[in-house]
């Protein structure tokens, strides 16, 4: 159970995508992992960052896709920002929401340990990436039961 107003660290397999990749996945009805990080990697791989810098994108543009994301298996969305309608929308749909630190793309890039698969490569940084992460921090805005391995950060 992810508790609101608490920092957590995630370890395991998550999806990374943003606008166009997410729209394509939702239109095609592709299954998604329980945790999705809405972000855009630079795709300039380095030894310590297999997708390069990977900064979170704003959640407000993704709100129209939340219902489809939930139906396709997502339980937790991690992105940047929160406006008045964000918590209410997530609660109504039944999704948890974690906030990633904006401007920390280089940091988040180093938390990606391995790229397991790529979809929609023609979309570049807006494609879909299934990755393994370790010590991936986020702040819980909307809590709930989520499959995965999470540890509270004191």
């Amino acid at each position: 159970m992810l508790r609101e107003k608490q920092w957590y660290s995630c370890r395991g397999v998550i999806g990374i995508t943003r606008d166009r990749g997410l729209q394509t996945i939702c239109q095609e009805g592709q299954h998604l992992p329980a945790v999705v990080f809405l972000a855009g990697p630079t795709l300039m791989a380095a030894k310590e960052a297999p997708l390069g810098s990977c900064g979170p994108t704003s959640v407000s543009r993704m709100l129209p896709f939340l219902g489809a994301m939930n139906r396709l298996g997502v339980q937790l969305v991690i992105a940047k920002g929160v406006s008045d309608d964000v918590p209410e929308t997530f609660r109504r749909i039944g999704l948890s929401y974690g906030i990633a630190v904006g401007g920390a793309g280089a940091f988040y890039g180093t938390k990606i340990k391995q790229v397991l698969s790529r979809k929609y490569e023609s979309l570049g940084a807006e494609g879909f990436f299934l990755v393994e992460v370790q010590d991936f921090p986020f702040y819980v805005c909307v809590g709930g039961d989520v499959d995965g391995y999470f540890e509270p950060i004191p």
Side-chain angles (χ1 to χ4, degrees):
M1 171 65 115
L2 296 178
R3 298 183 191 278
E4 294 180 7
K5 299 181 182 177
Q6 169 72 48
W7 282 94
Y8 283 87
S9 177
C10 175
R11 182 177 75 203
V13 176
I14 70 170
I16 297 176
T17 193
R18 53 177 292 152
D19 308 55
R20 289 176 39 212
L22 183 57
Q23 180 180 14
T24 303
I25 289 167
C26 291
Q27 287 173 344
E28 293 181 359
Q30 299 280 331
H31 178 75
L32 288 165
V35 180
V36 171
F37 180 40
L38 298 177
T42 61
L43 303 180
M44 297 176 68
K47 181 180 177 186
E48 62 281 339
L51 285 176
S53 179
C54 193
T57 193
S58 298
V59 72
S60 57
R61 289 194 321 272
M62 310 302 173
L63 294 180
F65 301 109
L66 294 183
M69 290 175 74
N70 192 8
R71 288 188 298 278
L72 296 172
V74 175
Q75 298 171 346
L76 168 66
V77 174
I78 301 172
K80 176 177 71 175
V82 62
S83 58
D84 292 341
D85 58 335
V86 168
E88 174 195 332
T89 303
F90 273 85
R91 285 188 182 96
R92 183 173 25 82
I93 292 171
L95 286 172
S96 295
Y97 176 50
I99 300 172
V101 178
F107 171 78
Y108 281 108
T110 65
K111 301 305 176 183
I112 299 166
K113 298 306 171 188
Q114 177 175 258
V115 179
L116 303 172
S117 68
R118 300 169 187 243
K119 289 184 180 179
Y120 317 114
E121 289 191 73
S122 65
L123 297 177
E126 292 201 24
F128 178 83
F129 308 89
L130 191 65
V131 301
E132 182 180 338
V133 297
Q134 187 173 345
D135 302 325
F136 191 92
F138 62 95
Y139 182 80
V140 177
C141 177
V142 177
D145 289 325
V146 178
D147 294 334
Y149 183 77
F150 307 97
E151 283 195 26
I153 299 173

